[in-house]
Amino acid sequence: MEVDAAGAGAGDGGRGGGDRSSFVIGLIENRAKEVGVAAFDLRSASLHLSQYIETSCSYHNTKTLLHFYDPMIVIVPPNKTAADGMVGVSELVGKHLPANKKGAVMVKNLSARDPSALGLDTYCKQYYLCLAAASATIKWIESEKGVIITNHSLSVTFNGSFDHMNIDSTSVQTLEIIDPLHTELWGTSTKKKSLFQMLKTTKTTGGSRLLRANLLQPLKEIQTINTRLDCLDELMSNEELFFGLTQGLRKFPKESDKVLCHFCFKPKKVTDEVLKPANGRKSQMLISDIIVLKTALDAIPFLSKVLKGAKSFLLCNIYQTICENPKYASMRKRIGDIIDEDVVHSRAPFVACTQQCFAIKAGIDGLLDVARRSFCDTSEAIHNLATKYREDFKLPNLKIPYKNRLGFYFVIPQKDITERLPNKFIQVVRHGKNVHCSSLELASLNVRNRSAAAECFLRTELCLEGLINEIREDIGILTLLAEVLCLLDMLVNSFAFTISTKPVDRYTRPEFTGRHPILESLHNDFVPNNLFLSEASNMVLVMGPNMSGKSTYLQQICLIVILAQIGCYVPAQFASLRVVDRIFTRIGTGDNVENNSSTFMTEMKETAFIMQNVSSRSLIVVDELGRATSSSDGLAIAWSCCEYLLSTKAYTVFATHMEGLSELATLYPNVKILHFEVDLRNHRLDFKFRLKDGVRKVPRYGLLLAKVAGLPNSVIDTATSITSRITEQEMVRMDSNSEQYRSLQMAYQVAQRLICLKHSNQGEDYIREALQNLKDGYLAGRLT
C-alpha cells in the first residue's frame, strides 16, 4: 500500500517551494514490534536503512522517524482490511527471492561504497526487515518514476537515525526547532522564528535540507563534532578564507546538488511514438543538467584557490578529495569537447532555452544546426512582430516576455490603453496594472518556435548520449561533490554567517569533556543565566512564579545542546558539555480531543514514554509535571518521577511551582534548587529573569495575584492564615531533614567539586585558589 504522506500530514517540515520533501519510505513491521525502514532520497540519491524495536505502544519512535524524513510517499504492506488491488511490499519485492535477500543484492549492486565495507552478510541476517523495505522502495521508484538506478551510485547508510541524537516529534514542536508554536511574539508585531528559521541563511536547497536534518538528528560522535568546530574556528579567525568561500559557493548553481545526483537515474527506453512530446521536455531537462554540471565543474578551480591554504582537517580533506582529484578536470575536458565554451547556466527562461539549444558545438550534427536556424528565425520574427505592434498601435511600452509553458506573450501597461485594445489582440487578461494578451500571428510563431526548440533538444540529447554514459561511469565523484557543497553551504552560509553577525563575545565554541558538563551565562535577548549539571549533581529544580522565565530557560538549555552537537558555536560565554543521546521534553499541553485524551492523560503518556526510554546519557526537561490533577497526587507523581530519574544518572531540569519538591534537596545531595528572582514593588511582581540559588523567595505570590484580581479581603485573609500554618509545618520538617543530612551533604559537595577540579583545564594558580576557597568554606560550614 502506498500513502501520500504529504497530504496525510506525516510530517510538518515547515517547507515550501524548492524545499518540498523528496523522500520515498518503505515501512515493515513484524509481530515482535520490530520495524524496518528504508528511506530513499530522490534528490540526493541516498538510501537510509533503520531497524529497531518499537518500544512505545503509540509508535513514538516511528512517528519521530517519519517527522524527520517528512516523506512524500510511504509504502507499507497490505493488511487484512486493505482494499483490493492495493500494492504492498510483498507484491513489490517479488516471489523469486526472499525479500531480505533481494534487498541485500540490490543494495550491494547500487551502493557507491565497497560491499565489504557495508557488512551486508551481517546486515542480511540482522536487519532483514529494512532490507526487504529497501527492495520494495527501489522497485516502486523504478516502476513509478520510469528510471533505472545506476549501479554503484547510491550513498547507503545503515541504522543512520540511531547513530545520532534522538529527539521525539513532540519535543521538536515544543522546542520550536523547525516551526514556531506561535507566528508572532506576544504583544508585538515581530515575527517569531524557530531555530531552523534563524539559521536558514543557506543559499541552496540541499544546504537547507542538511541543516534541517542536523537539527532534527544532531551528531553523537565527538570527533565529527570537533572537526566541524575546528573548521568553524578557522572561518571565524580567517576573514579572507570566509569571504573567499562565500564568493566561491556563489559560483556553483543553486541546483547543483540536485542536478549532480540526477545522473544516478537512467531513463528507461521508450519508443518515439509513445511519448514524443514528453521526451522533448525530458531532453531539455537533461541538457540543462549537463550545463549545470559544466558550470559546477568550472567553479572548482576558484574553490581550489580559496582552500589551498586552509589548515583545518575538514577543509584540507575537501581540498584533497575535490580540488586535487584529476577526475573532475578530466570530466570537464570531456564535456568541453562537445559543449560550447560560452554556454552558461541561466535561470531566465528564454535565455536558458537559448543556451540549451546552442549547448552543442556547431558542426557536430547537421540536423541540429538546421533546427537552430529555424529557432533563431522564429525568435527574430517574434521580436520583429513586437516592434511592428509598438509602432502600428502606438504602444511604446509593449513588452514580450517568455514563459516555459506559455511561450512568448504580450504585456501592455494599462495606462497605455486609451480606449480598448484592437481586435488583433486575443486572450486578453488583466494582471494588476498590466494586460497580458496574445495574437494569432504570435500564436503561430510560438508553435513554430517551440517546435524548432524541441527538435534542437532531441538532436542535442542524441549527441550527448555517449558523454552521459561516460559521466555515469564516474558518478561517485558527482555525488561526493554534491555532499561537499551542501556541507560547505551549511557551515559557511549558515553557521559562520550567523555567528559573524553577532557581537564578538556573544557566541563561543562548546567543549565536550565527557563527564562534567557546565553551561555558563546562556545568552538570550534579555538576561544571561548559568547552569551546572554533572554526574554528581544531575538534577536541577527550577522554581518561580508564572512568567518569571522558567519555560524559556528550559527551552534554551535544549537548543544550546542541539547547536553544540551539530558542530556550531553556542550563545554562551563558556560551554562544556557531555554528548547527549536523547532529549526528552514535557512542556505544557492541553486536552487532546482527537485522541479522546485529557490534559492529565496526555501528560502521563508523555511521562511514561520518557521513563521507558531514558538512558544515563539523556537530557530530560520537564515543566510543571502533575499540575493537571489533585495537588496531593500531583506532588506524589512528581516526587516519584524525580526519584526514578535520579537513579538513572540522566541530566534532568525540572521546573515546578510545588514547594514540597524542594525537600528533595535535603534528602538527595545530587539535587540542586534554583529560583528566578522576583521583587515585590507596590504589591506587584517585578520580574528580574535572573536565576538564583535556593528555594523561591517570593512570599505568597499566588495570594498577591488573587488580591489584584479582585477576590474579597475576607477570602484573602483566610487563605493567608491557612498557608502560614502549612508553610510553618513544612519548614520545621525541612529544617529537621537538613540538620540530619547536613554532614553527608557537605562531604558530597566537597567530593563533587574536587572531581570537577581534577578534570578542569584551568591553570595551576586558579586550581590552588579554588582548593583554598573550598577548604575555607568547608571549615566555616557553608559551601557556596
Side-chain angles (χ1 to χ4, degrees), residues 145-217:
K145 300 296 180 182
V147 297
I148 299 170
I149 300 171
T150 307
N151 281 346
H152 309 300
S153 64
L154 296 185
S155 171
V156 180
T157 58
F158 275 98
N159 209 26
S161 65
F162 299 100
D163 292 335
H164 298 75
M165 183 204 294
N166 192 298
I167 309 173
D168 61 271
S169 55
T170 302
S171 297
V172 169
Q173 293 173 358
T174 55
L175 294 175
E176 301 178 297
I177 295 174
I178 303 299
D179 294 312
L181 289 174
H182 308 287
T183 55
E184 293 184 358
L185 291 172
W186 184 75
T188 72
S189 59
T190 306
K191 294 290 183 182
K192 189 177 182 183
K193 288 187 176 183
S194 65
L195 182 61
F196 174 60
Q197 291 167 345
M198 185 193 79
L199 292 173
K200 192 183 173 184
T201 51
T202 49
K203 304 302 180 187
T204 66
T205 304
S208 172
R209 288 165 59 83
L210 181 63
L211 172 64
R212 179 183 182 276
N214 274 262
L215 290 173
L216 291 175
Q217 290 189 348

Side-chain angles (χ1 to χ4, degrees), residues 10 162 233 270 408 459 524 554 585 598 616 630 677 709 737 783:
F162 299 100
D233 284 347
V270 292
F408 289 98
R459 298 304 307 174
N524 55 28
L554 298 183
T585 64
S598 67
S616 60
S630 66
E677 184 180 5
N737 287 334
L783 291 175

Side-chain angles (χ1 to χ4, degrees), residues 170-349:
T170 302
S171 297
V172 169
Q173 293 173 358
T174 55
L175 294 175
E176 301 178 297
I177 295 174
I178 303 299
D179 294 312
L181 289 174
H182 308 287
T183 55
E184 293 184 358
L185 291 172
W186 184 75
T188 72
S189 59
T190 306
K191 294 290 183 182
K192 189 177 182 183
K193 288 187 176 183
S194 65
L195 182 61
F196 174 60
Q197 291 167 345
M198 185 193 79
L199 292 173
K200 192 183 173 184
T201 51
T202 49
K203 304 302 180 187
T204 66
T205 304
S208 172
R209 288 165 59 83
L210 181 63
L211 172 64
R212 179 183 182 276
N214 274 262
L215 290 173
L216 291 175
Q217 290 189 348
L219 303 168
K220 283 201 304 191
E221 188 183 22
I222 293 179
Q223 184 178 357
T224 307
I225 297 170
N226 282 328
T227 299
R228 287 187 182 181
L229 290 169
D230 291 342
C231 173
L232 212 49
D233 284 347
E234 187 172 16
L235 290 171
M236 290 294 94
S237 60
N238 187 340
E239 286 188 8
E240 185 179 352
L241 176 64
F242 172 55
F243 288 113
L245 276 175
T246 303
Q247 185 180 355
L249 289 172
R250 286 199 197 105
K251 294 182 179 293
F252 290 89
K254 290 182 70 173
E255 305 88 351
S256 292
D257 66 292
K258 178 181 179 182
V259 168
L260 293 174
C261 294
H262 275 181
F263 294 99
C264 296
F265 305 102
K266 186 177 181 180
K268 290 180 179 178
K269 294 288 185 183
V270 292
T271 60
D272 291 343
E273 292 78 15
V274 177
L275 282 174
K276 195 161 185 179
N279 284 346
R281 176 63 182 153
K282 287 184 177 179
S283 300
Q284 185 181 7
M285 290 176 64
L286 187 62
I287 300 162
S288 175
D289 289 351
I290 289 288
I291 294 173
V292 169
L293 173 57
K294 172 186 174 293
T295 308
L297 294 175
D298 285 341
I300 290 179
F302 185 88
L303 184 67
S304 175
K305 182 181 176 182
V306 173
L307 290 176
K308 191 170 185 180
K311 299 289 190 295
S312 62
F313 174 81
L314 180 59
L315 296 181
C316 287
N317 194 35
I318 291 173
Y319 179 77
Q320 291 167 4
T321 55
I322 302 294
C323 304
E324 290 188 337
N325 190 337
K327 289 185 177 181
Y328 291 103
S330 175
M331 186 179 288
R332 174 64 185 89
K333 183 179 182 304
R334 182 70 185 92
I335 291 173
D337 293 340
I338 299 176
I339 301 297
D340 193 281
E341 192 65 32
D342 295 330
V343 170
V344 293
H345 172 67
S346 174
R347 297 180 70 87

